[in-house]
Amino acid sequence: MKPIIYVGADHAGFKLKERIKLMLKHDGFTVHDMGNNKYEREDDYPDFAKLVGENVAKGRTARGILVCHNGVGMCIAANKIKGARAALVNNERIAKEAVADDDVNIICLGQGYVKTKEAMDIVKTFLKAKFSNKARHKR
């Protein structure tokens, strides 16, 4: 069973989020867009990080993808939600290891720092990755 994917982005990540959302739907995922639903220059990234973080934290198999200019703000905001485990990811190796070693359930991307093709590959890797369940990573 494929996980439910929650996506969110502010104005600085809106374009990339929309592309990711289309790819995920094409690949058969259930995608819930937590906003913003239109480009709004004055929106605020913590609003979307909170919505994605809260929804991902509720579901055992849910995953989240957040996008802003550099991904840092989204990552900080999402990690304030109990049960959300967000990581700033800028390549496929980090995406895989973040899940395998740290059981990350949300990735944060910087639209200003990753190309669209790279972002798509990162997302695919993140969604395929599994937590290792090794004792050293569980504690």
Side-chain angles (χ1 to χ4, degrees):
M1 185 172 117
K2 292 185 177 187
I4 294 172
I5 311 300
Y6 294 91
V7 298
D10 66 358
H11 62 279
F14 182 77
K15 182 178 173 183
L16 181 57
K17 179 201 68 156
E18 292 296 304
R19 300 281 302 271
I20 290 169
K21 187 169 69 171
L22 287 174
M23 177 195 73
L24 292 171
K25 286 181 177 182
H26 179 266
D27 289 349
F29 287 92
T30 300
V31 180
H32 295 281
D33 189 341
M34 307 312 292
N36 203 342
N37 297 314
K38 62 182 179 177
Y39 179 87
E40 260 186 71
R41 181 80 179 113
E42 301 302 318
D43 60 14
D44 202 8
Y45 68 86
D47 297 335
F48 310 112
K50 182 177 189 264
L51 290 170
V52 169
E54 288 174 344
N55 279 284
V56 169
K58 288 180 198 172
R60 300 191 91 203
T61 62
R63 297 279 182 102
I65 301 163
L66 291 165
V67 189
C68 63
H69 175 67
N70 61 25
V72 175
M74 287 288 199
C75 191
I76 291 169
N79 278 315
K80 292 179 186 260
I81 309 298
K82 184 178 176 153
R85 294 176 306 282
L88 176 62
V89 175
N90 57 18
N91 65 52
E92 288 181 76
R93 182 175 174 193
I94 293 171
K96 183 178 180 181
E97 290 177 5
V99 175
D101 295 351
D102 303 304
D103 202 15
V104 162
N105 55 11
I106 299 171
I107 58 168
C108 303
L109 302 168
Q111 180 176 297
Y113 292 85
V114 293
K115 294 182 172 123
T116 302
K117 167 81 169 84
E118 292 170 321
M120 301 302 181
D121 292 341
I122 289 167
V123 167
K124 288 177 184 178
T125 299
F126 166 63
L127 295 175
K128 288 178 189 170
K130 304 285 184 224
F131 181 53
S132 69
N133 276 309
K134 290 182 180 176
R136 69 187 181 112
H137 297 308
K138 284 180 154 182
R139 31 170 213 253

